[in-house]
Amino acid sequence: MPKYVRPTRADGVFNGLVSLSTRLGLPLAGSRVLAVRGRTSGEWRTTPVNPLRIGGERYLVAPRGTTHWVRNLRAAGSGRLQHGRRVEEFTAVELADADKPPILREYLRAWAWEVGRFFDGLDKDSPDERLLDVASDFPVFRITTVSE
């Protein structure tokens, strides 16, 4: 069964504040508001995310596991990232588990202060073998901006 960590009430309040500040153009440490079409409704669904840039590539990591935004992005294959008035459309490709360890390591290096609790004792110094063992619990997408 895919990993999924349900947000607590406190998480909902925190996510709401991060989303609001990001929409106002004051992103928390580079956060963005992700918008993806719902897989059944077709309506836009939003949530705050922490995009990660590594060597010219950008990634979205799902620290809570297979969430609704992950399922929606798998179905849609594209979405939007917003901060302030800037909206960026992108396409997404999900990475294979074997490709995730270096991405998960950098994600933990950048965002462990916020999402480390979802990684059950892992950190930026965890061996690749350990990161590979849990890779299936953390969906990762490479995102590419759609040129207009």
Side-chain angles (χ1 to χ4, degrees), residues 89-128:
E89 300 206 12
F90 67 86
T91 59
V93 175
E94 190 165 3
L95 270 59
D97 289 347
D99 298 328
K100 293 178 185 178
I103 309 304
L104 294 175
R105 179 180 319 291
E106 289 304 313
Y107 190 77
L108 286 165
R109 186 180 320 281
W111 297 101
W113 61 273
E114 182 183 346
V115 298
R117 64 191 166 116
F118 303 120
F119 286 84
D120 299 324
L122 296 173
D123 64 23
K124 63 181 175 47
D125 298 318
S126 296
D128 282 351

Side-chain angles (χ1 to χ4, degrees), residues 127-142:
D128 282 351
E129 297 79 26
R130 180 71 179 109
L131 292 172
L132 186 57
D133 287 345
V134 300
S136 63
D137 290 341
F138 303 100
V140 177
F141 297 87
R142 180 182 302 110

Side-chain angles (χ1 to χ4, degrees), residues 13 26 38 41-42 45 47 50 55 57-58 64 84 86 92 97-98 131 133 137 140 147:
V13 170
L26 304 168
S41 71
R45 304 294 184 191
T47 192
N50 301 318
E57 299 281 354
R58 291 192 316 155
R64 293 178 186 274
R86 185 175 298 167
D97 289 347
L131 292 172
D133 287 345
D137 290 341
V140 177
S147 301

Side-chain angles (χ1 to χ4, degrees), residues 18 22 26-33 49-52 82-83 111 113:
V18 171
T22 302
L26 304 168
L28 176 65
S31 65
R32 298 291 184 264
V33 174
V49 293
N50 301 318
L52 178 68
Q82 176 186 356
H83 85 280
W111 297 101
W113 61 273

Side-chain angles (χ1 to χ4, degrees), residues 34 39 62 65-75 94 139 141:
L34 170 67
R39 60 193 178 281
T66 306
T67 61
H68 288 289
W69 76 256
V70 168
R71 292 179 184 123
N72 289 338
L73 190 53
R74 284 175 176 161
E94 190 165 3
F141 297 87

